[in-house]
Amino acid sequence: MRSWPAPEISPLPGAGLPLRLYDTAAGEVRGTTPETTARMYVCGITPYDATHLGHANTYLAFDLVNRVWRDAGHRVHYTQNATDVDDPLLERAQRDGVDWRELAEEQIELFRTDMEALRLVPPDDYVGVTEVIGQVAELIERLKDKGATYEVDGDVYFAVAASPKFGAVSGFSEATMLELFAERGGDPGRPGKRHPLDWLLWRAERPGEPSWPSPFGQGRPGWHVECTSIALACLGAGFDVSGGGSDLIFPHHEMGASEGHVATGEWPFAKAYVHAGMVALDGEKMSKSRGNLVFVSRLRAAHDPMAIRLALLARHYRADWEWTDEQLTGAEDRLSRWRAAVALPGGPDGAAVLRQVRERLADDLDAPGALTVIDAWAGRALEGDHSDPGAPALVRATADALLGVAL
Ligand SMILES: Nc1ncnc2c1ncn2[C@@H]1O[C@H](COS(=O)(=O)NC(=O)[C@@H](N)CS)[C@@H](O)[C@H]1O
Ligand SMILES: [Zn+2]
């Protein structure tokens, strides 16, 4: 699938610092160690109710990863999927009496428009799972050849007992796993399964559901295996970052890592598992099932997308936090202050701003800290410190390249 047009990225003098990120599997902040080309897989949307602020918050975190790696001299190979066939999408299409393919297409287009407006760097590979059904079936075949699968009434399951590394990503107890698995699309109680945590790889055709041919009959892929297949095909095992919101830690990323490991024999499947916190509204996580959503497209109708971006950047990417309209007005004030300051003939030392913003972002994406650095510079510039005539241009370029904020 087409992704979206890339924003300009201003060149900056010198180079950034090595990026350190909190790795869920390690349970601590660790230095990323990408090669010349850094490789990142970020789970994409299930295309309905796009693009809400929770989505935007998560993709923005990985946009910062992309920008910091580029500033440190790496090329970035960025892959993102779209889950354009899955139970929740079919249910929503059914509820609204629309064709599921049309719903997916329209929502993916809205997502692209929102991502472009917020100036996120687009993925190099933007892959709808319906584009790669055959490839996914091949991966399932590989897992079958490894003896890691079995069938229940025509549906193909991954046997958790076949994965020596199961649990290495989340570190959760079995009780927590069972609870989350049931909450997030799993079927722990299904009769005929060998273990409650075994998960669906291939769902045999049901009446009225879309299906595709495969070596194991008409059907469609399970959720986790699509991402494993696309990441392996585009990036190869051992890629640098597997990203998503914290609600993907389990079952999605845990099960995908097991699939990748058993299929390739390589570990880790991803060198770092990086998760963004949950954005809430009125005390509840913003989610389609709850319907308490704030849409980027609606905010864009009345607000500068750069203010929306600044409002999101004001929170640490791993924090769970509550959206309020006041945060947007605060971001609009900050945006106009920054724009006024970079329009001045000079300001305090610009090189210090670049150095400090680089330090903040390299330290597990401390964007709030980076915003504070530019706030301080803008404040002193607006009070009349114009000692460095080159500073306004350098601060503008820093905000653009590292934070994605166009002043
Ligand atoms: N309230 C929220 N706050 C932060 N991130 C969220 C929120 N809701 C969803 N996300 C993140 O947004 C991304 C897309 O979510 S999604 O549309 O439900 N789609 C999926 O989770 C799958 N298509 C991934 S393969 C995921 O990384 C998810 O963790
Ligand atoms: Zn995914």
Side-chain angles (χ1 to χ4, degrees):
M1 283 190 308
R2 171 170 56 81
S3 62
W4 56 87
E8 284 292 306
I9 298 183
S10 309
L12 289 174
L17 301 166
L19 174 58
R20 295 167 51 73
L21 286 174
Y22 185 88
D23 171 19
T24 301
E28 61 185 9
V29 174
R30 281 198 166 165
T32 59
T33 56
E35 291 167 16
T36 309
T37 299
R39 295 175 287 157
M40 171 164 74
Y41 184 86
V42 178
C43 285
I45 58 168
T46 298
Y48 66 95
D49 281 347
T51 314
H52 62 71
L53 281 179
H55 293 144
N57 182 64
T58 286
Y59 296 116
L60 190 54
F62 298 99
D63 191 56
L64 293 179
V65 171
N66 199 336
R67 292 169 178 275
V68 171
W69 271 341
R70 287 159 179 257
D71 182 47
H74 296 279
R75 277 198 303 283
V76 181
H77 186 167
Y78 176 19
T79 302
Q80 187 180 128
N81 72 313
T83 305
D84 58 356
V85 64
D86 200 14
D87 298 351
L89 178 71
L90 299 176
E91 283 152 22
R92 173 57 64 91
Q94 180 86 25
R95 183 200 83 170
D96 297 353
V98 296
D99 174 80
W100 64 274
R101 284 183 189 273
E102 282 167 26
L103 174 62
E105 208 157 298
E106 169 230 319
Q107 289 291 299
I108 289 169
E109 187 49 31
L110 178 57
F111 175 73
R112 290 190 186 99
T113 310
D114 290 335
M115 291 293 105
E116 185 184 358
L118 290 176
R119 302 185 82 243
L120 279 86
V121 177
D124 304 282
D125 319 301
Y126 189 42
V127 184
V129 69
T130 56
E131 295 181 293
V132 291
I133 301 285
Q135 175 193 293
V136 176
E138 273 167 35
L139 174 59
I140 298 170
E141 278 251 272
R142 266 169 81 184
L143 291 168
K144 197 170 171 183
D145 295 344
K146 303 270 181 178
T149 71
Y150 65 95
E151 294 201 8
V152 179
D153 307 329
D155 295 338
V156 183
Y157 278 82
F158 185 101
V160 66
S163 169
K165 290 286 186 182
F166 190 77
V169 173
S170 65
F172 291 156
S173 68
E174 178 151 329
T176 303
M177 289 179 174
L178 286 166
E179 192 189 312
L180 291 176
F181 190 43
E183 252 172 59
R184 297 169 177 170
D187 57 356
R190 179 174 183 177
K193 285 173 61 174
R194 292 180 192 162
H195 188 289
L197 287 174
D198 293 343
W199 62 91
L200 198 64
L201 289 171
W202 184 264
R203 178 178 163 84
E205 182 181 29
R206 287 352 187 236
E209 284 190 5
S211 72
W212 288 263
S214 85
F216 9 89
Q218 279 295 113
R220 59 186 166 90
W223 173 26
H224 317 304
V225 68
E226 75 184 56
C227 287
T228 313
S229 169
I230 294 167
L232 283 177
C234 297
L235 300 173
F239 55 97
D240 297 285
V241 162
S242 171
S246 57
D247 58 354
L248 297 188
I249 294 174
F250 193 92
H252 190 51
H253 290 164
E254 186 75 78
M255 294 180 170
S258 284
E259 290 166 351
H261 177 224
V262 171
T264 65
E266 291 188 53
W267 185 263
F269 176 59
K271 290 193 175 81
Y273 293 88
V274 182
H275 295 100
M278 293 288 109
V279 179
L281 186 73
D282 306 334
E284 303 255 356
K285 170 198 164 195
M286 223 178 262
S287 81
K288 308 168 181 174
S289 44
R290 289 195 187 91
N292 59 336
L293 302 171
V294 175
F295 291 98
V296 169
S297 49
R298 202 165 302 154
L299 289 181
R300 286 198 300 117
H303 301 276
D304 187 329
M306 291 300 96
I308 301 169
R309 187 171 173 118
L310 269 178
L312 295 172
L313 287 169
R315 300 297 187 139
H316 190 260
Y317 80 98
R318 278 193 289 126
D320 294 331
W321 54 275
E322 177 96 14
W323 173 262
T324 60
D325 292 341
E326 292 69 45
Q327 292 168 47
L328 191 49
T329 34
E332 282 171 327
D333 296 345
R334 170 175 261 151
L335 182 61
S336 46
R337 246 190 344 273
W338 287 16
R339 282 180 168 153
V342 296
L344 293 170
D349 177 11
V353 170
L354 173 55
R355 188 178 60 254
Q356 287 160 29
V357 167
R358 277 172 164 161
E359 278 162 10
R360 290 299 82 240
L361 290 178
D363 176 14
D364 194 28
L365 301 179
D366 176 15
L371 300 191
T372 307
V373 169
I374 299 179
D375 283 342
W377 178 86
R380 296 213 329 270
L382 289 165
E383 280 159 11
D385 176 346
H386 299 169
S387 48
D388 175 357
L394 183 53
V395 170
R396 179 196 295 268
T398 300
D400 165 68
L402 294 179
L403 296 169
V405 177
L407 295 180

